Amino acid sequence: MAKTSSKTVSENQIPALTWLADPAKYVPSGICVVFGEESFLRRSVLAQIPASVASALNSGSDGNADAIEPTEFDASQTAWRNVIEELTTFSMFGPSQRLVILNDAEDFVAKNRVELEKWAETPAETGTLVLEMKTFPSNTRLYRLVDGSGLMIDCRPLNERDELPQWVCEMAQKKHHVMIRQNAAMLLITQIGTEMGLLDQEIAKLALTVEGDEPITEAHVRKNSGSWRMQTVWTLIDCMLDGQAEETLQYLGQLLESGEAPIVITAQLSSSLRRLATATRIVLEEERMGRRPDLNGALTTAGVNRYFLPKSVTQLKHLGRERAQNLLEWLVELDFALKGASTISDRLLLERFILRLTVSRTIR
């Protein structure tokens, strides 16, 4: 049973930040569900649960509880018999409680709902089961059982207008030992987005730009921070056109895992690649007219800023005549495929497109 004392918090449903502020007050026992779309909060809660359970055991007669180690299962790769065996096996020399964590448990819950309901009704004293899920529908019997006798830790995204800026300010002070002004926190959210893990990384970076007790201001954010996703897309494009396939695919993975939509990534890719395609068309037209092509002039006409001309010339040469001629056609194919014309996964479509462009060639 969860330990609660505040009337402002539902008896067994605790917001993640409330739980993280005092894990010893709401101790998982029997069954606990950590749910919500904010992965940073889920990871933070899961990291603290072993210490919370151990602390509760230490307050009793078991002096070995400080050595408690959770058993973690990939829920998609395990069976209920493995989980129940771990939960009910008595430990002769370790702590009196077994702690089992099931990651990404949605499918597992769907397949083992009856068994989980029985466990939620009458859990064994030997174990605590923690389910990690992005969603936990409230219209299920399991939800009602956990709400009645277990613990639910709600990791939904924070409100962008007030909760998230407040969290940024608190995280800056408590974790990174720097102050950030409220308006600077709001600007940071505007530029980086609402994903808490990325905001945490950006605060850490900004903390290095101030000295002593100097607070992080809007000026610091504007100068030293930008849209993480936007910067990553530009880096991805540079790596791709430099022929660095492995690095390009790594950046693509970061973007997709952070929630960036494949169609948005494609739009940003297109804005750069179409300029190279246009410059190629101009070069070919010059050749057909018997004139010596000027890459700098063609790129300038295509809309490339003169500051980026040397880099763009190198990239166009690496891309090569054949692929540069096919760029527009490949971009159109990719756009249609991502909008439903293909049964291949969006990630695979993007990876295939990237690999088309990362083999070293030279424009003639």
Side-chain angles (χ1 to χ4, degrees):
M1 173 73 71
K3 299 179 181 179
T4 61
S5 61
S6 173
K7 294 181 180 179
T8 60
V9 177
S10 174
E11 183 180 0
N12 293 319
Q13 298 183 47
I14 315 299
L17 292 183
T18 301
W19 189 88
L20 288 166
D22 192 357
K25 186 182 291 186
Y26 313 100
V27 180
S29 179
I31 188 166
C32 171
V33 179
V34 179
F35 73 100
E37 296 179 1
E38 180 47 71
S39 60
F40 179 86
L41 286 177
R42 295 201 311 272
R43 291 194 305 270
S44 299
V45 168
L46 291 173
Q48 291 298 318
I49 281 179
S52 174
V53 174
S55 176
L57 293 177
N58 272 324
S59 66
S61 58
D62 190 338
N64 296 320
D66 57 347
I68 192 168
E69 289 288 339
T71 300
E72 295 196 43
F73 289 103
D74 179 348
S76 65
Q77 302 295 321
T78 195
W80 172 251
R81 63 179 180 274
N82 300 325
V83 175
I84 193 65
E85 180 180 357
E86 187 68 29
L87 285 168
T88 56
T89 301
F90 180 75
S91 175
M92 295 184 63
F93 302 105
S96 59
Q97 277 272 334
R98 291 297 185 101
L99 178 60
V100 175
I101 298 175
L102 288 181
N103 297 301
D104 299 319
E106 279 88 353
D107 289 343
F108 183 89
V109 169
K111 295 175 182 177
N112 301 277
R113 189 172 298 278
V114 173
E115 291 83 359
L116 287 166
E117 289 171 353
K118 290 179 180 178
W119 176 264
E121 285 183 301
T122 55
E125 294 183 357
T126 53
T128 294
L129 175 62
V130 178
L131 304 173
E132 184 234 352
M133 300 192 290
K134 291 182 181 178
T135 59
F136 189 31
S138 60
N139 61 348
T140 63
R141 184 167 183 264
L142 181 61
Y143 183 100
R144 292 190 293 272
L145 288 169
V146 177
D147 190 23
S149 61
L151 176 66
M152 289 188 282
I153 303 177
D154 189 343
C155 300
R156 72 185 66 190
L158 302 184
N159 184 285
E160 188 175 345
R161 296 185 62 183
D162 44 40
E163 293 177 324
L164 195 56
Q166 181 180 347
W167 175 83
V168 168
C169 294
E170 292 176 356
M171 180 63 66
Q173 192 165 15
K174 292 178 181 178
K175 181 178 180 180
H176 302 288
H177 310 294
V178 65
M179 291 187 64
I180 181 170
R181 292 178 178 166
Q182 185 82 2
N183 55 356
M186 296 177 72
L187 177 61
L188 184 64
I189 293 165
T190 299
Q191 294 194 167
I192 300 301
T194 59
E195 188 176 344
M196 296 172 74
L198 296 180
L199 287 168
D200 181 45
Q201 294 176 23
E202 203 68 15
I203 296 167
K205 185 176 75 174
L206 287 167
L208 301 176
T209 68
V210 297
E211 297 181 1
D213 296 330
E214 182 185 7
I216 297 172
T217 65
E218 286 188 78
H220 290 108
V221 174
R222 288 196 178 94
K223 180 179 179 180
N224 300 294
S225 181
S227 168
W228 176 88
R229 290 186 177 93
M230 182 66 74
Q231 291 178 2
T232 302
V233 170
W234 299 139
T235 305
L236 180 154
I237 292 171
D238 284 344
C239 287
M240 180 175 64
L241 293 175
D242 288 341
Q244 301 174 31
E246 183 177 352
E247 292 84 350
T248 307
L249 294 176
Q250 287 176 353
Y251 284 118
L252 176 65
Q254 291 177 17
L255 287 164
L256 294 173
E257 289 162 14
S258 73
E260 189 67 281
I263 198 70
V264 173
I265 298 173
T266 303
Q268 293 170 322
L269 289 174
S270 296
S271 67
S272 293
L273 296 180
R274 286 182 182 278
R275 293 189 183 97
L276 297 184
T278 300
T280 301
R281 180 180 56 78
I282 294 171
V283 167
L284 295 176
E285 183 64 25
E286 291 290 307
E287 289 181 343
R288 279 194 292 268
M289 298 180 67
R291 293 196 289 262
R292 183 177 181 180
D294 175 12
L295 283 183
N296 283 304
L299 288 164
T300 301
T301 303
V304 175
N305 187 296
R306 63 181 181 179
Y307 177 80
F308 296 109
L309 281 177
K311 180 175 72 173
S312 296
V313 168
T314 300
Q315 291 175 339
L316 188 56
K317 288 182 176 180
H318 177 270
L319 189 62
R321 178 189 296 266
E322 182 181 347
R323 288 180 300 176
Q325 285 181 275
N326 289 319
L327 261 182
L328 290 177
E329 180 183 346
W330 290 346
L331 285 168
V332 170
E333 287 179 359
L334 178 61
D335 183 65
F336 275 110
L338 290 172
K339 291 178 179 177
S342 173
T343 58
I344 299 174
S345 70
D346 291 351
R347 182 169 189 148
L348 184 57
L349 287 168
L350 282 165
E351 288 177 345
R352 187 172 66 178
F353 178 81
I354 286 169
L355 291 174
R356 274 179 158 178
L357 304 182
T358 49
V359 179
S360 180
R361 293 175 183 266
T362 303
I363 195 169
R364 296 196 300 270

